Amino acid sequence: MRSVRLTWSETEYAAVAAAAARTDMAVGAYAAATVLAVATGADPPAWSPLRELLAEVVRASGQTRRIGVNLNQAVAALHALGRPTYALEQYGRVAARAVDNLDETAEQIRRTLADRP
C-alpha cells in the first residue's frame, strides 16, 4: 500500500469537502476515489439516493439494537417482579415504531431501485 499527501488552499479544501459531504464520504476517501476514477477512466463518486437510504438503514439498525438491549433488561425485570413494568410497555411501543420506520425505509429502497434504469 502507498499513501499520498495532498495540500490544498482553504478554498480548494472547502470545495473538496463539500463534494465529499454530498456523497457522504470522508474527504480523504472521496479524494482517493476521485483520483483513482479519473486515472482509470471510471466515473468519480457521485451523490446517490441509495447512499442516503443506506445511512438511514444503518441508523435504524443501531436504534433497533439499542431497543433490543432495553427490552431484554425490561423482560428480566418482568421475570423478577412477576408483572410488566412501565418501561417494558414503553420499550414495546418504541420497538413497534422502529419496525414501522424500518418498513418505511425498506419501501423507500424498493421504490428507488424500481425507478433505476
Side-chain angles (χ1 to χ4, degrees):
M1 298 265 318
R2 294 188 182 255
S3 64
V4 176
R5 183 168 187 252
L6 302 171
T7 305
W8 294 311
S9 70
E10 288 299 319
T11 303
E12 292 166 335
Y13 180 82
V16 173
R22 284 191 301 273
T23 61
D24 201 27
M25 294 177 77
V27 174
Y30 177 81
T34 301
V35 168
L36 185 60
V38 169
T40 60
D43 291 330
W47 174 84
S48 166
L50 291 178
R51 276 194 179 276
E52 281 189 29
L53 290 173
L54 175 60
E56 286 299 317
V57 169
V58 168
R59 274 192 290 278
S61 177
Q63 288 175 337
T64 304
R65 209 172 0 274
R66 287 188 293 281
I67 291 166
V69 169
N70 291 339
L71 274 171
N72 284 337
Q73 291 171 352
V75 168
L78 167 67
H79 291 305
L81 298 173
R83 60 179 168 72
T85 63
Y86 176 74
L88 179 57
E89 294 170 7
Q90 291 300 102
Y91 294 143
R93 286 186 192 95
V94 169
R97 280 196 307 269
V99 169
D100 288 344
N101 289 341
L102 282 170
D103 288 344
E104 182 180 319
T105 300
E107 179 59 20
Q108 288 176 341
I109 293 169
R110 188 201 62 73
R111 283 193 306 262
T112 299
L113 291 173
D115 291 344
R116 291 177 63 130

